[in-house]
Amino acid sequence: MPTSQPDASEPSEDRVTPDALLHARTGTDVSPEDVVLASGKDLTPHNLEWARRKLAAEGPAALDKLLP
């Protein structure tokens, strides 16, 4: 019984996607909820206030600093 070979034009599952392709801002505003979730924290009033302060101080770059 013949085995099927993956098409050479399709990406291999063992290849790593370059980081530049994984993280791209779409031009939308960054919300405090985005910052809290990117930090791995729960959406609580305390964490949302922390995120608001972080956004006020760092702008949208606050989200970029949290992402790997």
Side-chain angles (χ1 to χ4, degrees):
M1 174 184 331
T3 60
S4 63
Q5 295 294 322
D7 184 4
S9 65
E10 293 180 17
S12 171
E13 290 182 24
D14 63 346
R15 293 174 56 194
V16 177
T17 303
D19 201 39
L21 296 177
L22 292 174
H23 307 292
R25 190 174 308 133
T26 61
T28 59
D29 292 330
V30 176
S31 71
E33 290 84 0
D34 295 333
V35 175
V36 171
L37 294 174
S39 70
K41 299 178 181 182
D42 291 329
L43 288 172
T44 65
H46 176 76
N47 290 339
L48 288 169
E49 184 56 36
W50 165 81
R52 284 185 195 95
R53 289 192 309 270
K54 189 166 182 65
L55 280 172
E58 301 175 19
L63 184 65
D64 296 333
K65 293 176 182 179
L66 292 169
L67 296 173

